[in-house]
Structures are given as C-alpha cells and as structure tokens.
Amino acid sequence: MTILDILIKYQQAFSDGLLTTFRLAMIVWFIGLSLGAVIGALGAKWRIAIGIPSRMSSFVLSGMPILVFLFWLHYPLQAMLGVVIDPFVTAVATLAIINVFAVADVVRGVLSDFPRQYVIAAQVCGLNQTQILLYIQLPIILRQTIPVLMMIQVNMLQATLFTSLISVNEIFRVAQQINSQIYKPVEIYTALGVLFLAICLPINGLALWLQAKFTRDFSER
C-alpha cells in the first residue's frame, strides 16, 4: 500500500484530524497574538508592575518542556482541583499560555527599544500623537515583530502534535490510529512529515525574508 493509497483510503480520518489540528492552532494563535500584544504593550509602559512579571513568566515557560507542562495541567492540576476538563480545552490552555508570554516578550522588547528620537523628529515636523503612532511607530514595530511572531506561531502549530498524548484527536493521533491498523509507519509518518513541511517551510521562509529585508537593529542608530 503506497502513501497515496493510504491517503485515499483514510481520507476522511486524515481530514478530520487535520481540521482539529488547524482549529486548535487557530484558537491558540488568536489568543496568543491578541492577549500577548496587550500584555507586551502594557509591560513596556509599566515595567515593574507588568513588564518584569511577564518576562519572568516567559523565562520560566521557555525552560519547561511543553509536554511536561501539558501533562501537568491535564493530570495533576485537574486531580488537585477535583475536575475533569476536555483534553482539547486543556491543550488550548497550555499552548495559549506559552504563546501569550512568548508574544508578549517580543512586543515588550520592541516597544521598549523603540528609538525616542524618531518620535521627537516627528513632533518637530508637526505630526500629532495619532499621526506619529500610525505613520512612524506602527510600521516600524510591525516590521520588527511580524517575522519573529510568524516563527513563534509555526512552533505553536508544530507543538499541537504533543496534544495527541492527552487524547486530542488531531492529525498525529489519527496517524497513530491508522498505523495501529495497517502498520505502515514509513508511509504514514512520511506523509505526515511532508504535510508539515509543506505548511511550515513557506511560512518560515517568508518570515526569514521579511526579517532580512525589513527589520533592523535599533542599536545601530
């Protein structure tokens, strides 16, 4: 049985698993980007109250394996609280927390390092605060953050594979279930690898291109 035969025969199962993967990733992306941007902006403005705790949270999470954090939220924490939460919800919470603080760290860093002389020069030219934000600050901030944020979101997409271990029926768990029936690991996992390469490589490539073309080191000013 070839890879194509497997994909055709189990088309519905793969489609359902892929849909679950994308649904999980999109929720994590939305929460991470929106809430992370807010926390990052507040952290740049209120460094002691929000910025430092946010950085510490990001630092701690960066040192903890995602799988350990996922299992801890799914088993020990729920046992201590005496609750049973749907694995999909646990997976969203785990990845969203990691994503939020990763995004917040990027946004806070860019805002904190933004050259003050750019704002002063704009004020000298007669621009008001709204115009400075729209025409000076926002374009530069987006150029600095978008490539890094894109790479973080790719990492979050790849991290959804871990959720199969708490019974989230995403694409990797589907592949495992199919492999347990027909035992074609080379074909099945090769197809899965090619799928993720086809999705992730173009995004990472675009992010690297944007980074090389548009971002700059503020320390060079």
Side-chain angles (χ1 to χ4, degrees):
M1 185 177 289
T2 65
I3 294 177
L4 184 59
D5 293 333
I6 294 171
L7 291 176
I8 293 174
K9 182 175 180 180
Y10 296 97
Q11 177 183 359
Q12 187 60 51
F14 278 118
S15 297
D16 292 343
L18 195 59
L19 180 62
T20 300
T21 295
F22 284 143
R23 186 161 63 97
L24 174 59
M26 285 188 288
I27 295 173
V28 170
W29 289 344
F30 176 76
I31 295 174
L33 291 171
S34 56
L35 188 55
V38 171
I39 293 176
L42 295 176
K45 187 173 183 179
W46 291 293
R47 179 175 173 272
I48 296 178
I50 299 177
I52 292 177
S54 173
R55 291 194 70 183
M56 290 178 61
S57 299
S58 177
F59 179 73
V60 171
L61 289 171
S62 68
M64 180 180 295
I66 294 176
L67 187 58
V68 173
F69 190 38
L70 178 66
F71 267 66
W72 190 84
L73 290 182
H74 187 61
Y75 294 111
L77 181 61
Q78 293 185 29
M80 288 188 292
L81 296 177
V83 297
V84 178
I85 300 175
D86 187 282
F88 186 88
V89 176
T90 303
V92 168
T94 302
L95 298 181
I97 290 171
I98 295 170
N99 199 20
V100 163
F101 287 105
V103 170
D105 205 33
V106 172
V107 173
R108 181 208 54 77
V110 171
L111 290 175
S112 298
D113 293 340
F114 192 87
R116 178 62 184 165
Q117 57 264 41
Y118 288 14
V119 177
I120 296 174
Q123 290 172 339
V124 170
C125 292
L127 274 66
N128 59 39
Q129 193 61 43
T130 301
Q131 291 173 323
I132 293 173
L133 175 63
L134 292 178
Y135 302 136
I136 306 297
Q137 292 177 302
L138 191 58
I140 294 176
I141 290 169
L142 289 176
R143 287 181 177 187
Q144 294 291 115
T145 58
I146 285 177
V148 181
L149 295 181
M150 288 173 66
M151 293 181 186
I152 292 174
Q153 302 320 302
V154 168
N155 290 336
M156 289 297 102
L157 174 61
Q158 294 170 345
T160 61
L161 298 181
F162 290 123
T163 64
S164 65
L165 299 176
I166 61 169
S167 302
V168 176
N169 210 37
E170 44 72 65
I171 188 67
F172 187 70
R173 183 171 174 82
V174 169
Q176 288 178 310
Q177 292 170 342
I178 294 173
N179 186 57
S180 68
Q181 298 175 28
I182 61 176
Y183 195 69
K184 291 287 185 178
V186 174
E187 291 83 353
I188 291 174
Y189 294 118
T190 297
L192 192 60
V194 170
L195 173 64
F196 271 85
L197 283 174
I199 296 171
C200 297
L201 279 185
I203 300 175
N204 273 338
L206 177 60
L208 289 172
W209 180 79
L210 290 172
Q211 188 174 45
K213 187 172 179 63
F214 294 113
T215 61
R216 57 162 293 182
D217 185 357
F218 284 153
S219 64
E220 296 176 356
R221 63 187 183 275

